[in-house]
């Protein structure tokens, strides 16, 4: 009698924690994984469902001083929210801690991220950096899905307390990103007077010869002139026409897409001022900053009326929802991993493209390992890295044997050759390659995974082996902008 094929299903819990310039929030989600291949085929495990189980209230981000985050207060807040959600850190199998906006410039941002990823779950990712923030927000706001569904070119502009992060998508493909120093907390008030003015805004005021200083009235007309100017700069950024005098507001690189934008979507705290999605009482009391005025300037800006405005699915929670639900990928099911080596966090990726030519590719490996050591472990402290092998030709058994012996030989150039050899493959060869390496060198620890698309210079986290014999993988860019 034929055995009935029963698709295997597994649920894993994901957490997203977003520590932003103004606010901190948390989301808990459940992913359902299932083998989508028929019973006689190679397993193909996919995330078939994502369900948000719990969303925290929106907290003011706890700071010790203007330049440092209150790590203990953030951890207490996370602990309280886990309790409210009815979970413990051990339940968390994937997700992301993302430090966004101006918070990523705090002295202890990196320490905060690593502390949380050690305390908030068995496998929780740490990410920061303006480009990634824009990408994650575009996924949480619905802009990415909208572009995929319609084939249109859409820019999501996520504006929080300190930065405006734009990510442009066409047909679900990332076209480019750009970040500006534009946000609600660039000027803050107390008792009807100006309490602080951020350095980028001070530069603009100096360019104008404008005299706005701490202690002036919050109703000074120069403030509205300033937010109107910010809205126009966003328009010029979207058209890739930034001017010399706009440069104090640019954070990092200029707009790097070539496509013409058709739709725009706003997310972040400022879009909450535009759309008012949140229930009264779910977020902190009215901020003492320029957020509402900036939202009004966006509404009134003739430049921005040039594009069709699409409403976001999420406003202030876009980044945390993107972090908790959109950052995880699932490896192929035919992989070779040694469970005791997992999870592995913050692993830089070095890409070796074979260009469909085995001899040339094998020739590149030894040189590439030396370059990866120079790049990622210049002090020879033993920072491990993953080798990402792409554009492989058809490989027969002899080719796999040759590839594995070249890999084993090349890792002798590492300061600690006894570290796990971590190989990520675009194609479906991980199990056979891992087993062949093990036969050739039984003492070598190996993590060999496939069906993952990464980019040269990305960082990846590889989670613990799941029952479905796959591993969750999170691809990220770990850059703490100074």
């Amino acid at each position: 009698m034929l055995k009935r094929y029963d698709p295997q299903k597994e649920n894993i819990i994901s957490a997203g924690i977003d520590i932003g310039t103004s606010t901190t929030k948390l989301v808990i989600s459940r992913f359902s994984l299932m083998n989508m291949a028929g019973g006689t085929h190679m397993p193909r495990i996919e995330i078939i469902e994502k369900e948000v189980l719990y969303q925290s209230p929106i907290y003011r981000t706890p700071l010790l001083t203007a330049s440092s985050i209150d790590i203990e207060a953030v951890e207490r807040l996370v602990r309280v929210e886990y309790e409210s959600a009815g979970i413990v850190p051990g339940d968390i199998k994937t997700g992301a801690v993302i430090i966004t906006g101006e918070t990523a410039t705090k002295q202890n941002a990196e320490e905060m991220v690593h502390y949380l990823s050690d305390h908030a779950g068995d496998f929780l990712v740490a990410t920061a950096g303006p480009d990634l923030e824009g990408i994650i927000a575009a996924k949480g706001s619905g802009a990415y899905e909208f572009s995929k569904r319609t084939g249109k070119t859409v820019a999501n502009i996520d504006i929080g307390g300190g930065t405006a992060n734009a990510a442009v998508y066409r047909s679900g493909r990332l076209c480019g990103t750009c970040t500006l120093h534009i946000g609600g907390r660039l000027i803050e008030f107390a008792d009807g007077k100006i309490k602080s003015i951020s350095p980028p805004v001070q530069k603009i005021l100096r360019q104008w010869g404008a005299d706005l200083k701490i202690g002036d009235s919050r109703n000074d007309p120069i403030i509205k002139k300033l937010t109107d100017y910010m809205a126009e700069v966003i328009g010029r950024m979207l058209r890739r026409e930034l001017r010399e005098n706009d440069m104090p507001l640019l954070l990092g690189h200029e707009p790097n897409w070539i496509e013409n934008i058709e739709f725009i979507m706003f997310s972040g705290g400022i879009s909450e001022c535009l759309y008012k999605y949140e229930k009264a009482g779910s977020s902190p009391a009215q901020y003492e900053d320029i957020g509402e005025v900036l939202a009004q300037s966006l509404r009134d800006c003739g430049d921005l009326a040039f594009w069709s405005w699409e409403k976001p699915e999420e406003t202030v929670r876009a980044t945390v929802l993107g972090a908790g639900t959109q950052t995880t990928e699932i490896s192929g099911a035919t992989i070779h991993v040694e469970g005791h080596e997992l999870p592995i966090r913050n692993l830089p990726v070095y890409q070796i493209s074979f260009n469909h030519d085995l001899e040339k590719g094998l020739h590149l490996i030894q040189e590439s390992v030396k370059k990866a050591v120079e790049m990622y472990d210049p002090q020879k402290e033993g920072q491990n890295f993953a080798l990402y092998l792409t554009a492989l030709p058809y490989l027969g058994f002899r080719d796999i044997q040759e590839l594995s012996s070249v890999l084993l030989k090349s890792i002798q150039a590492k300061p600690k050759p006894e570290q796990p050899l971590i190989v990520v493959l675009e194609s479906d060869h991980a199990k056979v390659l891992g087993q062949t390496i093990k036969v050739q060198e039984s003492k070598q620890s190996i993590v060999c995974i496939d069906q993952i698309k990464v980019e040269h210079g990305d960082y990846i986290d590889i989670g613990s082996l799941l029952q479905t014999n796959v591993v969750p993988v999170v691809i990220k860019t770990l850059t703490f902008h100074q």
Side-chain angles (χ1 to χ4, degrees), residues 124-127 132 345-347 457-461 474-478:
L124 204 57
V125 182
T127 62
L132 191 71
R345 297 195 186 102
N346 300 336
L347 205 58
D458 280 344
Y459 282 70
I460 58 171
D461 287 13
V474 179
I475 298 154
K476 62 213 179 160
T477 308
L478 262 185

Side-chain angles (χ1 to χ4, degrees), residues 137-323:
K139 289 184 170 179
S141 71
Y144 162 76
E145 274 301 329
F146 176 79
S147 81
K148 216 165 134 180
R149 195 175 66 244
T150 59
K152 300 289 185 196
T153 306
V154 56
N156 189 72
I157 307 102
D158 188 78
I159 313 179
T163 55
N165 303 80
V168 178
Y169 277 92
R170 175 186 232 150
S171 307
R173 179 183 62 82
L174 178 67
C175 306
T177 57
C178 186
T179 298
L180 300 169
H181 287 289
I182 291 179
R185 297 191 75 179
L186 296 187
I187 298 180
E188 294 182 274
F189 310 120
D191 305 319
K193 293 189 168 52
I194 293 173
K195 182 177 87 171
S196 69
I197 303 173
S198 77
V201 168
Q202 287 171 346
K203 281 184 193 160
I204 296 294
L205 294 169
R206 276 199 298 276
Q207 278 181 181
W208 293 355
D211 182 30
L212 188 72
K213 57 193 183 301
I214 288 164
D216 287 356
S217 164
R218 70 177 292 163
N219 300 318
D220 191 306
I222 197 85
I223 291 173
K224 180 72 166 78
K225 182 185 172 188
L226 190 80
T227 59
D228 287 348
Y229 173 70
M230 287 175 171
E232 287 161 17
V233 172
I234 289 173
R236 287 197 282 278
M237 181 261 302
L238 293 172
R239 284 198 302 275
R240 308 184 300 284
E241 291 171 3
L242 287 172
R243 298 173 185 165
E244 190 54 43
N245 55 357
D246 300 336
M247 289 306 156
L249 296 185
L250 182 69
L251 171 55
H253 61 79
E254 291 202 30
N256 57 4
W257 55 88
I258 51 170
E259 296 74 5
N260 290 327
I261 291 160
E262 297 165 278
F263 286 82
I264 58 175
M265 197 180 275
F266 288 98
S267 63
I270 302 304
S271 88
E272 180 53 31
C273 300
L274 289 172
Y275 296 112
K276 307 270 189 279
Y277 283 6
E278 290 289 312
K279 294 186 192 75
S282 73
S283 66
Q286 196 50 55
Y287 299 134
E288 291 279 276
D289 61 27
I290 56 170
E292 290 284 0
V293 193
L294 177 56
Q296 192 55 54
S297 292
L298 294 173
R299 262 191 221 103
D300 299 343
C301 179
D303 267 13
L304 294 175
F306 171 79
W307 294 282
S308 303
W309 287 41
E310 186 64 24
K311 275 193 171 183
E313 285 166 25
E314 293 290 340
T315 54
V316 68
R317 295 177 191 269
T319 309
V320 73
L321 277 156

